[in-house]
Amino acid sequence: MTHRWLHLRLAAPLVAFGDVAIDHVGPTRDFPAASALTGLLANALGLRREETSAHQALQDRLVFGAMVIRPGRLLTDIQNAKLEKKDCGWTTWGQPDVRTGDTYDSPHRRRRDYLADHDCRVVLRLHDLPEGPDLDRLAEVLDRPARPLFIGRKGCLPSAQLFAGWLEGENALEALKAIGLPGRAFWPAEEGGGTVRDISDMRNWRTGLHGGHRRVSEGEIA
């Protein structure tokens, strides 16, 4: 059975496809996680953070594959911040965001990895359910999002239109091949081919914690 697939181009001067974070270290992977795509689409739809059931339902419906067209250069940002009790934050709603915490005794330090000039493509469809958005709705909100979109972190603004058109294929691998560009890719393991491995990219949106892993196949598309 041939499916219609949403083609996304995730390209920016800096992108961050968050991997499993430990302590203050925030690494990045080469491909977007299921949770990252869920957050991107939910932001475009205008879902609020506390609408956890809607986020979870959207993540559970995702079927996707991804391919790196142009590998980015790893860039590591070491951040040091010492916040005072009186410090205020800039907002978009017309008044400063005042801190309620106390002054830090020492700087807050963390490491964040990015990919510079990375170009990743995603092919995506949804399991059919009677409720929730369909692919046409997602294509619409990606072009006219409810809020500004970013690729991983708020400083990672897209350099190209995210919605790159429609593709057809029996599965994610065939849809990736339909892009017509070479690259390193992954797709659902049940489709066969490639090297099978486990990835931890699921989120439990109700608890905000790690939500498990899944099996994918990885390989080169000529």
Side-chain angles (χ1 to χ4, degrees), residues 1-96:
M1 178 180 178
T2 299
H3 297 284
R4 188 172 60 143
W5 298 79
L6 199 67
H7 178 197
L8 304 181
R9 182 183 181 190
L10 304 183
L14 292 177
V15 303
F17 297 136
D19 207 341
V20 178
I22 299 175
D23 296 330
H24 68 287
V25 179
T28 182
R29 64 184 83 202
D30 295 332
F31 303 107
S35 57
L37 289 175
T38 301
L40 175 69
L41 297 172
N43 197 31
L45 289 163
L47 295 180
R48 300 188 305 276
R49 184 185 298 270
E50 59 269 23
E51 294 181 88
T52 56
S53 295
H55 282 74
Q56 190 67 52
L58 182 58
Q59 178 178 277
D60 292 344
R61 295 178 65 197
L62 291 182
V63 182
F64 71 98
M67 177 166 58
V68 174
I69 301 299
R70 184 181 65 238
R73 177 174 57 88
L74 182 65
L75 185 151
T76 298
D77 181 27
I78 304 298
Q79 302 172 353
N80 295 279
K82 188 173 188 302
L83 298 177
E84 306 289 339
K85 184 175 183 178
K86 61 183 179 181
D87 288 342
C88 299
W90 179 86
T91 69
T92 58
W93 55 82
Q95 60 184 12

Side-chain angles (χ1 to χ4, degrees), residues 162-178:
L162 293 181
F163 173 51
W166 299 99
L167 297 167
E168 290 189 353
E170 293 184 4
N171 52 40
L173 177 57
E174 293 303 314
L176 288 170
K177 291 178 179 179

